[in-house]
Amino acid sequence: IVILFLFFFILFNKRLDEWVTHDRLDLKKIQFPKKEAKTPTKNGLPGSRPSSPERDVKRKVEVVSPATPIPAVSETTQASVFPQNGSARRAVAAQPGRKRKSNCLGTDEDSQDSSDGIPSAPRMTGSLVSDRSHDDIVTRMKNIECIELGRHRLKPWYFSPYPQELTALPVVYLCEFCLKYVKSLKCLQRHLMKCDLRHPPGNEIYRKGTISFFEIDGRKNKSYSQNLCLLAKCFLDHKTLYYDTDPFLFYVMTEYDSKGFHIVGYFSKEKESTEDYNVACILTLPPYQRRGYGKLLIEFSYELSKVEGKTGTPEKPLSDLGLLSYRSYWSQTILEILMNLKLENGERPQITINEISEITSIKKEDVISTLQYLNLINYYKGQYILTLSEDIVDGHERAMLKRILRIDSKCLHFTPKDWSKRGKW
């Protein structure tokens, strides 16, 4: 046995590098191992995470006074200012809520003005990311060269299903009041002699200064609604265009001058939404972007939800610009409430996430996701604390100084309708 063992030991005890030289290795076929993708968290960062406030629906959030240590978070949220390392920080506690499953939405640009200290880059995870998995390459190719709308010439960004004979023209002419499309300037001039509209067809439900909003029923004004969708599709990448506009209401924002009411932007919403959507598609036309009109449209949609006594949320997934605009609006609206909390009878003020949702009509899930996006939620001694740094407070104050255009609820004349009792349209 010993002899056999020595025989096999001598026969097989050979190092690999002694009998396979380097020049005999074929390195072209080597496959290097791939790094495993880390699981993203709610904030879009890899790694593990503590339990989120969404799982604890009955926790309070507290706001601490300057002399007090950081309080614990519960469903009643408190906000207070206290010095930390020589700088004042505002702590607010937020109430968590349950998460809900969340077509496409694109809005303007003014949410990109994130010089207010609030993060501006969109998350790359979660339900608020545009779904590009089912794109049709043909429908992503721009087919209209130029559109003339009133005193503006617009270059479309995306495909829009206008009649095929218009796609070969250098310019497509639109009536800025009824949005009818024609193929030549002479045709437009003849149309303007017969068109008696000087504003969108519908009820004017808001006017302050030169800004007006008109409510258009997609069933009563089908031609205008379809033309509006065709125009909007030129600037919305993921809008699904349906010619059946009956189930939708369209709210068109206009600017008034001596010639009439000129369209600035619009948003649409379903007459009946099982998901509590208060916006289906939203758009500010390019000539009016970066002037605050996008947030004005968003704010108006939530003012309608307040009158209806509901909380609302935009239809998801959002486009990139839509996500930026809504994140900016939600952040400014929520921070405005937290910073205005005051002490009551010498005690820390308390506010729940449900109360924030009721005051703003922003869906509870959007409130929680915004707080997480801003990294305001901290876990401390079994409770959740919201901490506002000086940078965020100062940035918010600077952003609010720039936000001149606001909705005045006193100028809104709107009576919600119960569409469920009106039968099928």
Side-chain angles (χ1 to χ4, degrees), residues 142-239:
K142 186 178 71 171
N143 60 334
I144 301 294
E145 188 65 29
C146 183
I147 289 177
E148 183 172 305
L149 180 68
R151 62 180 179 271
H152 300 291
R153 281 204 169 185
L154 316 176
K155 285 193 173 183
W157 301 343
Y158 306 109
F159 171 89
S160 183
Y162 277 103
Q164 190 172 0
E165 58 268 21
L166 299 180
T167 60
L169 300 176
V171 180
V172 176
Y173 296 88
L174 268 62
C175 172
E176 63 176 329
F177 300 113
C178 70
L179 302 183
K180 178 181 174 62
Y181 49 86
V182 294
K183 55 186 178 180
S184 70
L185 183 58
K186 289 185 178 180
C187 292
L188 178 63
Q189 291 171 346
R190 287 198 299 267
H191 168 78
L192 292 177
M193 294 174 63
K194 297 180 289 184
C195 182
D196 55 356
L197 281 180
R198 289 298 175 265
H199 59 78
N203 298 324
E204 185 181 9
I205 60 175
Y206 179 90
R207 181 188 292 187
K208 184 176 182 181
T210 59
I211 301 295
S212 294
F213 279 86
F214 292 83
E215 183 185 54
I216 291 108
D217 190 329
R219 180 181 65 86
K220 295 179 180 179
N221 300 281
K222 187 171 296 188
S223 177
Y224 180 89
S225 301
Q226 291 177 350
N227 291 335
L228 179 60
C229 290
L230 285 171
L231 174 61
K233 181 63 186 73
C234 292
F235 307 100
L236 295 177
D237 191 8
H238 290 79
K239 174 179 170 60

Side-chain angles (χ1 to χ4, degrees), residues 91-107:
V92 185
Q95 158 202 354
R98 270 197 312 252
K99 207 174 182 184
R100 177 180 66 78
K101 186 180 179 181
S102 89
N103 174 204
C104 177
L105 191 88
T107 182

Side-chain angles (χ1 to χ4, degrees), residues 79-312:
S80 68
V81 182
F82 59 96
Q84 185 175 9
N85 297 330
S87 62
R89 295 173 66 88
R90 180 180 295 268
V92 185
Q95 158 202 354
R98 270 197 312 252
K99 207 174 182 184
R100 177 180 66 78
K101 186 180 179 181
S102 89
N103 174 204
C104 177
L105 191 88
T107 182
D108 79 337
E109 55 318 304
D110 43 72
S111 61
Q112 298 178 11
D113 58 352
S114 292
S115 56
D116 51 3
I118 298 172
S120 60
R123 291 191 307 172
M124 297 311 296
T125 59
S127 63
L128 295 184
V129 178
S130 300
D131 181 13
R132 298 174 180 262
S133 57
H134 301 290
D135 283 346
D136 184 354
I137 295 226
V138 174
T139 61
R140 291 179 63 81
M141 296 176 62
K142 186 178 71 171
N143 60 334
I144 301 294
E145 188 65 29
C146 183
I147 289 177
E148 183 172 305
L149 180 68
R151 62 180 179 271
H152 300 291
R153 281 204 169 185
L154 316 176
K155 285 193 173 183
W157 301 343
Y158 306 109
F159 171 89
S160 183
Y162 277 103
Q164 190 172 0
E165 58 268 21
L166 299 180
T167 60
L169 300 176
V171 180
V172 176
Y173 296 88
L174 268 62
C175 172
E176 63 176 329
F177 300 113
C178 70
L179 302 183
K180 178 181 174 62
Y181 49 86
V182 294
K183 55 186 178 180
S184 70
L185 183 58
K186 289 185 178 180
C187 292
L188 178 63
Q189 291 171 346
R190 287 198 299 267
H191 168 78
L192 292 177
M193 294 174 63
K194 297 180 289 184
C195 182
D196 55 356
L197 281 180
R198 289 298 175 265
H199 59 78
N203 298 324
E204 185 181 9
I205 60 175
Y206 179 90
R207 181 188 292 187
K208 184 176 182 181
T210 59
I211 301 295
S212 294
F213 279 86
F214 292 83
E215 183 185 54
I216 291 108
D217 190 329
R219 180 181 65 86
K220 295 179 180 179
N221 300 281
K222 187 171 296 188
S223 177
Y224 180 89
S225 301
Q226 291 177 350
N227 291 335
L228 179 60
C229 290
L230 285 171
L231 174 61
K233 181 63 186 73
C234 292
F235 307 100
L236 295 177
D237 191 8
H238 290 79
K239 174 179 170 60
T240 303
L241 185 60
Y242 296 105
Y243 287 95
D244 181 16
T245 59
D246 292 10
F248 293 92
L249 294 169
F250 298 85
Y251 294 90
V252 179
M253 179 170 63
T254 63
E255 262 190 352
Y256 175 77
D257 63 15
S258 58
K259 295 183 178 180
F261 294 81
H262 307 277
I263 180 172
V264 171
Y266 89 104
F267 68 88
S268 60
K269 64 184 291 187
E270 293 178 286
K271 294 176 180 176
E272 287 186 283
S273 175
T274 57
E275 300 289 339
D276 295 329
Y277 292 140
N278 63 354
V279 167
C281 287
I282 183 170
L283 171 72
T284 304
L285 291 175
Y288 300 95
Q289 293 185 355
R290 305 198 68 83
R291 292 164 58 180
Y293 289 116
K295 282 195 183 71
L296 198 67
L297 281 167
I298 296 174
E299 185 177 5
F300 188 78
S301 70
Y302 282 106
E303 285 296 328
L304 297 183
S305 296
K306 291 178 184 178
V307 176
E308 294 170 343
K310 302 176 181 178
T311 58

